[in-house]
Amino acid sequence: MSISIPFDNSYARLPAQLFTKQLPTPVKAPRLIAFNHALAKDLGIQSVPDDATLASIFSGNEVPKGAAPLAQLYAGHQFGHWNPQLGDGRAILLGETTGPIGRRDIQLKGSGPTPYSRNGDGRAWLGPVLREYVISEAMHALGIPTTRALAAVATGEDVFRETPLPGAVITRVAQSHIRVGSFQVLAARGDQDGLRALFEHAVDRHYPDAESPLEFLNAVIAAQAELIVKWLSVGFIHGVMNTDNCAISGETIDYGPCAFMDSFHPMQKFSSIDRNGRYAYGNQPDIIVWNMAQLATSLVPLADDRDAAVEAFTAAIHAMPAMIQRLWRESFNRKIGIKDPTAEDEALVTNLMGLMAKQGADFTNVFRALADGDAGDQFTDREAYDDWGKRWKLRLETEDNPDKLMQNSNPVIIPRNHQIEAMITQAVAGDFTLFENLMADLATPFSQPQKIANLTHPPSEDQQVKATFCGT
Ligand code: AMP
Ligand code: MG
């Protein structure tokens, strides 16, 4: 039985300078770690074969019928510095499937070198592959737009970082892999035809109602503003919000050094390479505005009247912080049970978060405890909380069913760093129990975990993860 994927590869029909045709490089001994059957069904994948054949396909050893493998070209600002050419250095787009949930990219990551690899080996090791698999699926279960994970395959080969590590390939699914950097590279090269083609393609795929570059920009801005507020609402820190990791679709993409906060601090960061905290938790709203300004700049050459475009795009960018602020207020007030917040209600949230920061309270557990009626035991200085709690309870008297609102807004569990690290350590030793249990529990993050009892526990002192790594 051979797999059947309803491919229709529209990106491969774009002008040739936007990508390079590239086959995956075969691996020695592929072995299936995980396959997302529910997602496969949504993608219209039929005739799902046995595990050995799945491993062969989703390691890149066997290219499925209808695929048109390619590496995409893009550029980007990395930590604010312009890099004129990046591109898929360790990823290969197999093609686009057109199943029940619509058009989706199917991409192998870790599938060997491409012309954009430069010094890299085009490979990934098991740790980052499992991290992305678990965290991206957890994000989806939390209701946050994200790329998905279709498969993880061990390659049977070592990859060399500082030491030899077991290699793996992840199959990533996205509405598309078009990034801010996809536009930037064409604008920077003065490639009008390429830019126009990419623009029309992106409009068709993501924002078919947009009738001009300005409307397209506004649509991306709205999607990204919503996304970043969703990240903030669960304590998520992306860690590497470079413009090449910023998707036009408004999906979270690139789970490198990302992390969920345990103890709340507004400027928390984990990424080992983010020395100055550019991508710290509380900087994410500013950075997304900066990234959207880079997109706007790249769209200017599409306008007939460039001066007018600059003026209109600038206004769109300037409107973004207030938009984020409004979404943030709505989101965080829902987390404390208030549906239609006033300015005073915003202060109620900031007061609570001030207490949380001061006392290093656990982000997830405080909000969940509120949903259960009282968060006093989450604070070391209970008195300070009680004072806030009294004002809060009084305010909730005029709300309709605030408990339900909070229970739906505040997850019980998130993928905690120390659990992810423990899962990876176990998997490298050949045991995937924790991986499977995490996947099972994180599929329903608004319910109590069934498999891992201590999943709600913050890390103990010696379990704390202080830094995360890109995994490249
Ligand atoms: P990332 O940090 O994953 O967003 O990657 C930034 C750039 O480095 C992209 O162009 C990647 O394709 C490239 N890259 C990352 N890891 C590797 C690798 N192991 N081999 C080749 N290129 C890589
Ligand atoms: Mg990237």
Side-chain angles (χ1 to χ4, degrees), residues 8 11 92 145 171 285 335 337 370 400 432:
D8 172 46
Y11 200 90
I92 287 171
T171 302
K335 288 178 80 64
L370 292 179
D400 218 24
F432 289 84

Side-chain angles (χ1 to χ4, degrees), residues 6 31 63 66 69 71 81 114 139 144 154 165 186 221 223 232 256 284 292 298 309 358-359 368 381 398 459 470 472:
R31 197 178 53 75
V63 174
H81 299 285
T114 78
M139 291 285 269
I144 300 175
L165 294 161
L186 299 166
I221 285 176
L232 298 177
Q284 297 180 116
M292 291 299 98
S298 304
K358 200 163 155 204
Q359 302 193 33
R368 189 61 201 190
D381 176 4
T398 55
C470 271
T472 50

Side-chain angles (χ1 to χ4, degrees), residues 74 179 244-245 254:
Y74 52 86
R179 310 130 195 273
D244 53 301
N245 293 333
D254 262 14

Side-chain angles (χ1 to χ4, degrees), residues 74 86-90 117 120-123 161 244-245 254 472:
Y74 52 86
L86 292 160
D88 289 334
R90 56 165 167 171
S117 298
D121 56 5
R123 294 295 184 192
R161 297 299 177 254
D244 53 301
N245 293 333
D254 262 14
T472 50

Side-chain angles (χ1 to χ4, degrees), residues 74 78 86-88 90 109 172 179 238 240 242-246 253-255 472:
Y74 52 86
Q78 300 179 300
L86 292 160
D88 289 334
R90 56 165 167 171
K109 194 170 161 191
R172 178 161 77 178
R179 310 130 195 273
H238 182 281
V240 59
N242 295 336
T243 57
D244 53 301
N245 293 333
C246 186
I253 186 171
D254 262 14
Y255 291 87
T472 50

Side-chain angles (χ1 to χ4, degrees), residues 190-353:
D191 181 352
Q192 279 292 117
D193 294 342
L195 188 62
R196 169 76 50 196
L198 179 68
F199 170 71
E200 283 167 4
H201 175 84
V203 167
D204 264 6
R205 270 180 93 161
H206 301 302
Y207 306 105
D209 296 337
E211 284 179 3
S212 65
L214 177 62
E215 288 184 17
F216 174 75
L217 175 65
N218 274 324
V220 180
I221 285 176
Q224 284 291 342
E226 277 188 31
L227 179 66
I228 270 54
V229 169
K230 285 187 172 155
W231 290 356
L232 298 177
S233 77
V234 294
F236 180 76
I237 304 160
H238 182 281
V240 59
M241 287 176 71
N242 295 336
T243 57
D244 53 301
N245 293 333
C246 186
I248 294 301
S249 66
E251 293 169 296
T252 312
I253 186 171
D254 262 14
Y255 291 87
C258 71
F260 284 76
M261 267 193 287
D262 299 299
S263 166
F264 177 66
H265 190 283
M267 281 300 149
Q268 180 69 55
K269 63 142 189 135
F270 291 97
S271 170
S272 58
I273 56 169
D274 189 7
R275 290 206 183 80
N276 302 317
R278 177 181 170 90
Y279 300 137
Y281 175 82
N283 279 346
Q284 297 180 116
D286 288 346
I287 291 295
I288 199 58
V289 175
W290 195 91
N291 286 355
M292 291 299 98
Q294 307 316 311
L295 175 64
T297 304
S298 304
L299 296 174
V300 171
L302 293 172
D304 298 327
D305 182 343
R306 294 191 182 189
D307 289 340
V310 168
E311 202 171 311
F313 293 178
T314 303
I317 299 298
H318 283 177
M320 201 179 172
M323 177 191 292
I324 295 175
Q325 183 64 27
R326 177 178 55 76
L327 292 169
W328 182 89
R329 180 169 64 230
E330 287 167 6
S331 169
F332 275 77
N333 272 289
R334 280 196 299 276
K335 288 178 80 64
I336 64 167
I338 298 169
K339 212 181 281 151
D340 297 307
T342 62
E344 227 169 278
D345 295 328
E346 181 168 331
L348 204 54
V349 173
T350 50
N351 290 347
L352 173 68
M353 295 184 80

Side-chain angles (χ1 to χ4, degrees), residues 3 27-37 40 48-61 108 126 129-130 133 149-156 167-171 427 430-432 435-436:
I3 199 164
V27 301
K28 211 179 344 181
R31 197 178 53 75
L32 193 71
I33 298 168
F35 187 73
N36 191 337
H37 285 273
V48 174
D50 57 80
D51 285 6
T53 311
L54 283 174
S56 176
I57 294 166
F58 293 104
S59 61
N61 280 13
L108 304 180
L126 184 62
V129 164
L130 294 182
Y133 201 102
L150 178 63
V153 179
T155 60
V169 176
I170 184 167
T171 302
D431 181 354
F432 289 84
F435 168 74
E436 270 150 27

